[in-house]
Amino acid sequence: MKRRNDNESLAILAEQYGYESGLDLIAHHAMESVVPAICTSLDCEEYSAELEPDCENGFCEYCGESSMVSCMVLAGVI
């Protein structure tokens, strides 16, 4: 499976949630128990959901791959 790079995924996720940048998204969700996450598979339609901040290989309900990554992991915070 080919994966989208972290910076691109974070930018897409920020846009989906209405933030101007990934940094704004991270700052807003820094202390939350669930945060935005996105499927990083290039074959997926940019599916996003709320998952644990340390999620690196979460299950994507759209494509069925273990390719969900939280915004905190994408940004390198965790």
Side-chain angles (χ1 to χ4, degrees):
M1 168 185 62
K2 291 186 178 183
R3 290 188 173 222
R4 189 178 305 109
N5 75 46
D6 290 353
N7 291 332
E8 182 182 354
S9 294
L10 187 58
I12 292 168
L13 197 54
E15 183 179 331
Q16 286 180 351
Y17 278 78
Y19 294 94
E20 290 188 24
S21 70
L23 181 59
D24 292 339
L25 175 73
I26 298 304
H28 186 265
H29 292 280
M31 302 303 288
E32 301 293 325
S33 60
V34 292
V35 299
I38 190 168
C39 180
T40 57
S41 171
L42 287 175
D43 297 328
C44 195
E45 297 292 323
E46 300 172 358
Y47 176 79
S48 62
E50 302 273 324
L51 298 173
E52 297 82 10
D54 62 347
C55 180
E56 291 186 60
N57 295 301
F59 180 75
C60 176
E61 294 179 8
Y62 187 82
C63 72
E65 298 287 337
S66 294
S67 52
M68 294 291 289
V69 181
S70 80
C71 61
M72 298 301 176
V73 172
L74 291 171
V77 175
I78 294 179

